[in-house]
Amino acid sequence: MTAWDPAQYLRFGGERIRPALDLLTRIPLESPGVIYDLGCGTGSVTEMLKERWPEADVTGVDSSQAMLERARTLEADINWLEKDLNEWEPETPADLLYSNAVMHWLDGHDTLFPRLISALKPGGVLAVQMPHNFSAPSHTLIAATVRHGPWRDELEPHLREQPVQDSPAYYDILSPHTTAIDIWETTYLHVLQGEDPVVEWTKGSILGPLLEHLGESDTQAFLEAYRRPIGEAYPRRKDGKTVLPFKRLFIVATR
């Protein structure tokens, strides 16, 4: 099981929460009774789901014990469940399955997404947001650094280079199982501050689990090798800040 670092992830909490809110505003449900936040992490978005629908039975599901420990400190009437989403199924059909920045960690979307739709009540909604930035330098330079270093044999099997399909593919996957589908993409221009902010960003997401396979000295060597080309791909602007364009894919599908 991947040992997620909540503190590292939340270093850019404001930027990471914005797509979650954009997804939340597009959900076409008035009063869902049963809601699951799949891959709830620290629970900040789960809490927003509860605030929007206070009468709903809301459950946050995540495989990370560290993330759930942080979530359980929230003073909210929310259930927290430690489960692997590859195997999880709701005890009763749901009105809303919500997932922000998680599904790209799971394989087999051709079968996963129809399985999630089947876990909904008729008229229920699957709402998903996934990063779609895997062809950008922030991600391709991770693969390049893996393949040009002494850690290649150790790390290459763990690369996730294109875990998200193109938008039309999700229409094809979902259309036989749904009555309505809304799919769109948004590119956010995140304005980041601090030293090596794009490196710190990826350390809190796609790069973090990869570095777990290295010892301390190799981790530092890898980060230094990755840091140089990242600095060239994302230079500081005149005001000292760094702009990170980041594309995300949104899906709202109604059963």
Side-chain angles (χ1 to χ4, degrees):
M1 181 182 297
T2 298
W4 284 99
D5 182 351
Q8 183 69 35
Y9 182 83
L10 290 173
R11 285 192 63 172
F12 302 100
E15 291 82 3
R16 297 193 194 279
I17 205 73
R18 184 177 169 189
L21 293 173
D22 289 346
L23 178 63
L24 181 59
T25 63
R26 299 283 286 269
I27 296 172
L29 293 173
E30 290 295 329
S31 54
V34 178
I35 299 174
Y36 290 91
D37 183 6
L38 306 183
C40 63
T42 60
S44 55
V45 180
T46 324
E47 192 172 31
M48 293 176 185
L49 290 166
K50 184 65 177 180
E51 290 174 354
R52 177 170 176 181
W53 294 292
E55 301 303 317
D57 181 8
V58 178
T59 300
V61 185
D62 206 285
S63 63
S64 169
Q65 183 178 6
M67 289 289 197
L68 288 173
E69 285 177 358
R70 176 72 71 92
R72 290 188 175 103
T73 65
L74 298 173
E75 295 182 2
D77 183 18
I78 296 171
N79 309 304
W80 305 106
L81 185 62
E82 185 177 343
K83 287 289 184 181
D84 183 344
L85 292 177
N86 286 298
E87 304 169 354
W88 171 86
E89 293 184 2
E91 293 183 0
T92 59
D95 296 290
L96 172 61
L97 297 178
Y98 177 97
S99 181
N100 180 63
V102 172
M103 293 300 168
H104 60 295
W105 292 108
L106 306 179
D107 295 325
H109 288 187
D110 290 4
T111 55
L112 172 63
F113 278 71
R115 177 169 67 82
L116 293 174
I117 291 292
S118 70
L120 293 168
K121 298 175 184 177
V125 170
L126 172 66
V128 173
Q129 182 274 121
M130 296 180 287
H132 208 194
N133 215 50
F134 299 97
S135 296
S138 55
H139 291 62
T140 59
L141 288 173
I142 292 176
T145 304
V146 166
R147 294 192 170 101
H148 292 89
W151 38 70
R152 177 171 182 170
D153 290 346
E154 179 66 32
L155 296 184
E156 194 169 25
H158 303 287
L159 283 174
R160 298 185 64 80
E161 294 186 79
Q162 293 294 336
V164 176
Q165 301 182 47
D166 290 337
S167 302
Y170 289 98
Y171 179 86
D172 292 338
I173 291 169
L174 289 165
S175 58
H177 311 281
T178 56
T179 60
I181 307 174
D182 187 10
I183 301 177
W184 72 97
E185 294 182 349
T186 298
T187 298
Y188 297 86
L189 294 182
H190 297 307
V191 180
L192 309 180
Q193 302 186 57
E195 294 292 325
D196 303 312
V198 178
V199 176
E200 295 302 318
W201 176 284
T202 57
K203 280 171 61 180
S205 54
I206 195 73
L207 184 56
L210 201 63
L211 295 178
E212 290 181 11
H213 300 281
L214 297 178
E216 183 175 351
S217 60
D218 280 343
T219 294
Q220 295 307 313
F222 183 98
L223 289 174
E224 184 58 32
Y226 174 59
R227 183 177 290 115
R228 289 193 297 270
I230 280 291
E232 295 174 0
Y234 301 96
R236 286 193 180 188
R237 317 315 296 180
K238 292 181 179 180
D239 62 0
K241 299 175 183 178
T242 301
V243 176
L244 171 62
F246 203 100
K247 183 190 294 186
R248 296 182 181 272
L249 171 64
F250 296 81
I251 300 169
V252 177
T254 303
R255 183 175 183 184

